């Protein structure tokens, strides 16, 4: 019999047409039907040595799934049309597959063994389909906790790291309270990642489940201002800081204080708030404007897609790196991520709707051009990237390449600062293995590793929960021994 991976081509989630989806903020992709998803899972069968679930780092690179999802096992169950058991297997390692199945960049697929010679298995599409189907079937129900330990844990920050830690510790029987300074639970899942990638009802649905299982949520509490870490430490048996790394880098060039130069996160948050019914300041509106997004990453892509929906006149995205190739470069062997050029949802929308790929490569912004206090343009120069024999890359300015782009809204998406200074403001210093300088105070997620991925935040949440559980068990043993 011919192996299925030779006869079945890779297929991913169905997407709504560009012309339909740019007029709303509903999710652009949906789950697959049973027939096609079973076929995609069949492509995984006959794999000799799976690498997809390794979940480790080579240098700065993620290899395989960081939460060690049991991918070959749930793929086998899907190929046998046993969706219920596939769902149960998936939940063994992933607290929130409905988030990762929508927005994970799928390092598992970059390390898929089939990817050496063919298109990799559509792992993320299968994951999303398993969990969406499970919700539709009513299989996802609150798991009520039978026995409570009597220990109380405070978690500061309700992003994926805080939520995963809360879920694990609650299921272990501890009484968990999550403190969040925003008015909604979810961290960047709620305010950050746009609705068309992750619908906010999907986030609320999970929060309601966690609440029904016994986790307490307190919004509008800014720890460090409204209450100190020390006072929480006095009241609770353990405290976890999962406060993220949301301080954005600023341009640091002449004129960057001009009206119309906005941080990407403020812009994306305003857009989500507006969809929730909050009136938004005109400065966050892209309608009729010439928009320039500085920063070639995923946050920048989310700004492109949002500006298109708001009716921008034009959208251009500046990136400092060269255009990626269509095929895996020789210096990026499997199982590293292939890091090839992909036409993300936002770029597909710009190409079809605005008739232009918004990405501009190897470009440096020199100064913001102002009229009065408002931005009217950006003066730029082209760069050249030279890789030295030792592998170090250097960028040179191309002589005579000065150019000015017209702009009336500039969105800055050039990354995030390291989290340590923010932690220090709370009197906390991160040490190895999730512990801090304060006894009983732990740290996890972006607040520990810097701005990263949801799947890494979930892993950190699970691992810090193990540490806290062991810490509380040790406290209990100490109490018993001393009494
Ligand atoms: C625009 C954008 C798009 C992204 N898209 C993707 C994507 O598509 N896929 C992906 O995998 N990753 C994506 N990421 C990265 C991902 O969202 C983060 O790595 C992840 O959310 C980190 O989780 P966390 O729980 O550590 O922190 P966060 O999600 O940042 O949550 C931290 C929470 O702590 C709260 N908090 C902070 N300080 C306090 C305080 N003092 N008191 C109370 N509460 C506090 C914050 O309000 C926030 O809710 C994106 C990031 C951004 C910015
Ligand atoms: S969580 Fe991400 S890396 Fe893990 S299986 Fe899902 S898509 Fe792949």
């Amino acid at each position: 019999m011919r192996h299925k991976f030779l006869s079945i081509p890779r297929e991913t989630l169905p997407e709504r047409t560009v012309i339909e989806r740019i007029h709303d903020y509903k999710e652009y992709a949906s789950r697959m039907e049973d027939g096609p998803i079973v076929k995609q899972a069949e492509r995984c069968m006959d794999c000799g040595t799976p690498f997809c679930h390794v979940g480790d780092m080579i240098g700065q690179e993620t290899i395989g799934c960081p939460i060690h999802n049991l991918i070959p096992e749930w793929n086998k169950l899907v190929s046998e049309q046993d969706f219920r058991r596939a769902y149960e297997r998936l939940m063994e390692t992933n607290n929130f597959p409905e988030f990762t199945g929508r927005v994970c960049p799928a390092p598992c697929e970059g390390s898929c063994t089939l990817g050496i010679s063919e298109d990799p298995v559509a792992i993320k599409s299968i994951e999303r389909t398993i969990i969406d189907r499970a919700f539709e079937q009513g299989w996802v129900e609150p798991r009520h906790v039978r026995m409570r330990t009597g220990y109380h844990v405070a978690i500061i920050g309700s992003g994926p790291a805080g939520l995963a830690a809360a879920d694990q510790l609650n299921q272990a029987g501890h009484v968990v309270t999550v403190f969040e300074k925003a008015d909604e639970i979810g961290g960047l899942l709620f305010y950050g990642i746009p609705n068309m990638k992750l619908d906010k009802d999907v986030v609320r649905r999970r929060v309601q489940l966690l609440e029904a299982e016994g986790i307490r949520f307190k919004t509008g509490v800014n720890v460090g201002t409204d209450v100190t870490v020390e006072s929480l430490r006095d009241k609770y048996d353990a405290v976890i800081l999962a406060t993220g790394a949301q301080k954005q880098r600023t341009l640091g060039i002449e004129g960057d204080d001009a009206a119309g130069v906005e941080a990407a996160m403020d812009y994306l948050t305003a857009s989500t708030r507006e969809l929730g019914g909050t009136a938004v300041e005109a400065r966050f509106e892209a309608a009729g404007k010439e928009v320039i997004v500085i920063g070639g990453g995923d946050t920048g892509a989310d700004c492109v897609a949002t500006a298109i929906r708001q009716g921008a006149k034009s959208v251009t995205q500046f990136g400092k790196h060269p255009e990626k190739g269509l095929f895996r470069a020789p210096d990026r062997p499997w199982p590293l991520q292939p890091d090839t050029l992909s036409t993300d949802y936002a770029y597909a929308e710009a190409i079809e709707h605005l008739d232009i790929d918004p990405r501009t490569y190897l470009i440096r912004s020199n100064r913001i051009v102002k009229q009065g206090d408002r931005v009217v343009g950006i003066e730029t120069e082209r760069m050249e990237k030279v890789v030295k024999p030792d592998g170090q890359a250097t960028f040179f300015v191309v002589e005579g390449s000065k150019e000015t782009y017209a702009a009336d809204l500039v969105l800055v998406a050039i990354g995030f600062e390291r989290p340590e200074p923010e932690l220090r403001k709370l009197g906390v210093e991160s040490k190895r293995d999730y512990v801090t300088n304060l006894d009983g105070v732990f740290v996890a997620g972006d607040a520990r590793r810097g701005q990263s991925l949801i799947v890494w935040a979930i892993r950190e949440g699970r691992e810090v929960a193990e540490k806290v559980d062991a810490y509380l068990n040790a406290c209990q043993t100490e109490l018993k021994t001393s009494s």
Side-chain angles (χ1 to χ4, degrees), residues 400-419:
S401 64
K402 265 198 187 134
E403 200 178 341
T404 300
Y405 285 75
D408 23 36
L409 177 60
V410 173
L411 301 170
V412 183
I414 54 172
F416 295 81
E417 304 278 358
R418 290 285 313 164

Side-chain angles (χ1 to χ4, degrees), residues 52 62 64-71 74 90 94 97 100-101 103-109 123-125 127 455 458:
C52 51
T62 301
C65 176
I67 45 180
H68 312 296
N69 269 344
L70 302 163
I71 299 162
W74 36 261
L90 178 55
N94 191 352
T100 50
V103 297
C104 185
C108 54
E109 294 184 10
I123 300 169
K124 178 178 160 186
S125 302
E127 181 176 37
V455 66
I458 296 174

Side-chain angles (χ1 to χ4, degrees), residues 34 37-42 45 72-83 85-87 126-127 129-130:
D34 289 3
I37 207 67
V38 167
K39 278 187 175 306
Q40 290 307 305
E42 284 174 346
M45 302 304 101
E73 295 186 26
W74 36 261
N75 278 348
K76 180 158 193 300
L77 292 163
V78 170
S79 76
E80 292 163 355
Q81 304 194 38
D82 191 346
F83 287 97
R85 283 178 62 218
Y87 156 66
I126 299 171
E127 181 176 37
T129 302
I130 295 171

Side-chain angles (χ1 to χ4, degrees), residues 79-394:
S79 76
E80 292 163 355
Q81 304 194 38
D82 191 346
F83 287 97
R84 172 107 204 194
R85 283 178 62 218
Y87 156 66
E88 286 162 4
R89 262 291 185 275
L90 178 55
M91 293 309 294
E92 280 180 33
T93 53
N94 191 352
N95 305 69
F96 314 124
E98 70 273 30
F99 304 154
T100 50
R102 281 169 170 75
V103 297
C104 185
C108 54
E109 294 184 10
S111 311
C112 167
T113 307
L114 185 54
I116 298 173
S117 57
E118 309 283 331
D119 288 333
V121 174
I123 300 169
K124 178 178 160 186
S125 302
I126 299 171
E127 181 176 37
R128 159 111 187 238
T129 302
I130 295 171
I131 186 65
D132 277 14
R133 216 178 163 284
F135 272 108
E136 286 163 25
Q137 297 289 323
W139 297 337
V140 190
E141 290 183 316
R143 298 150 303 154
H144 296 292
V145 181
R146 294 230 171 84
M147 292 269 288
R148 291 287 172 189
T149 61
Y151 284 118
H152 290 251
V153 180
I155 298 179
I156 309 167
S158 67
L163 291 181
D167 189 17
Q168 296 294 107
L169 288 166
N170 182 53
Q171 289 299 321
H174 307 301
V175 181
V176 179
T177 308
V178 178
F179 294 89
E180 170 56 58
K181 68 178 177 186
D183 56 354
E184 293 278 358
I185 296 296
L188 289 170
L189 298 166
F190 203 96
Y191 290 126
I193 298 175
N195 296 43
M196 47 276 192
K197 270 166 66 177
L198 175 61
D199 193 285
K200 301 314 155 202
D201 283 345
V202 173
V203 182
R204 287 199 184 101
R205 178 178 64 185
R206 179 57 70 177
V207 173
Q208 279 161 12
L209 271 166
L210 296 174
E211 232 167 357
E213 289 169 353
I215 298 173
R216 299 163 189 182
F217 291 102
K218 289 185 191 288
T219 52
V221 183
N222 190 345
V223 175
T225 306
D226 301 326
V227 57
T228 61
V229 172
E230 293 78 39
S231 63
L232 286 177
R233 179 63 192 95
D234 287 345
K235 201 164 159 217
Y236 291 83
D237 300 295
V239 175
I240 299 173
L241 285 158
T243 43
Q246 294 194 14
K247 190 157 192 273
Q248 295 157 94
R249 290 200 193 117
T250 51
L251 281 174
I253 59 173
E254 187 190 324
D256 66 357
D257 58 347
V261 178
E262 304 293 348
M265 270 294 297
D266 297 345
Y267 172 72
L268 293 170
T269 301
S271 165
T272 300
R273 282 192 188 285
E274 191 172 27
L275 294 171
T278 310
V280 154
E281 295 170 63
R283 66 193 176 111
F284 294 121
E285 275 299 340
K289 291 183 182 166
E290 300 203 86
V291 178
I292 293 190
V293 179
I294 303 182
D298 291 343
T299 305
D302 290 336
C303 290
V304 169
T306 305
I308 289 173
R309 278 164 181 73
Q310 290 183 349
K313 186 171 158 198
S314 69
V315 188
T316 309
Q317 186 181 13
F318 290 176
K320 73 171 187 188
H321 292 285
E323 184 171 358
K324 291 174 182 171
L326 291 177
F327 302 102
R328 199 185 264 283
D331 64 342
R332 303 198 55 79
W334 179 92
L336 296 181
Q337 292 300 298
D339 202 26
T340 48
L341 182 74
S342 70
T343 304
D344 196 13
Y345 80 110
Y347 306 130
E349 289 168 2
I351 291 166
E352 196 170 324
H353 179 60
L354 301 172
D355 227 7
I356 191 165
D357 189 330
R359 290 170 285 188
T360 306
Y361 303 96
L362 287 167
I363 187 162
R364 184 176 81 174
S365 305
N366 284 346
R367 71 181 180 96
I368 301 291
V369 185
K370 295 201 282 190
Q371 219 166 58
D373 69 345
R374 271 213 68 80
V375 59
V376 289
I378 307 181
E379 186 193 281
T380 64
E381 269 174 309
R382 293 276 154 189
M383 307 293 288
E384 193 184 336
K385 183 178 177 184
V386 177
V387 181
K388 293 191 205 150
D390 65 0
Q392 288 283 326
T394 329

Side-chain angles (χ1 to χ4, degrees), residues 160-162 164-166 168 434 444-445 456-466:
Q168 296 294 107
Y434 302 99
W456 273 110
I458 296 174
R459 167 153 160 186
E460 296 242 331
R462 293 173 72 90
E463 286 188 347
V464 77
E466 264 178 44

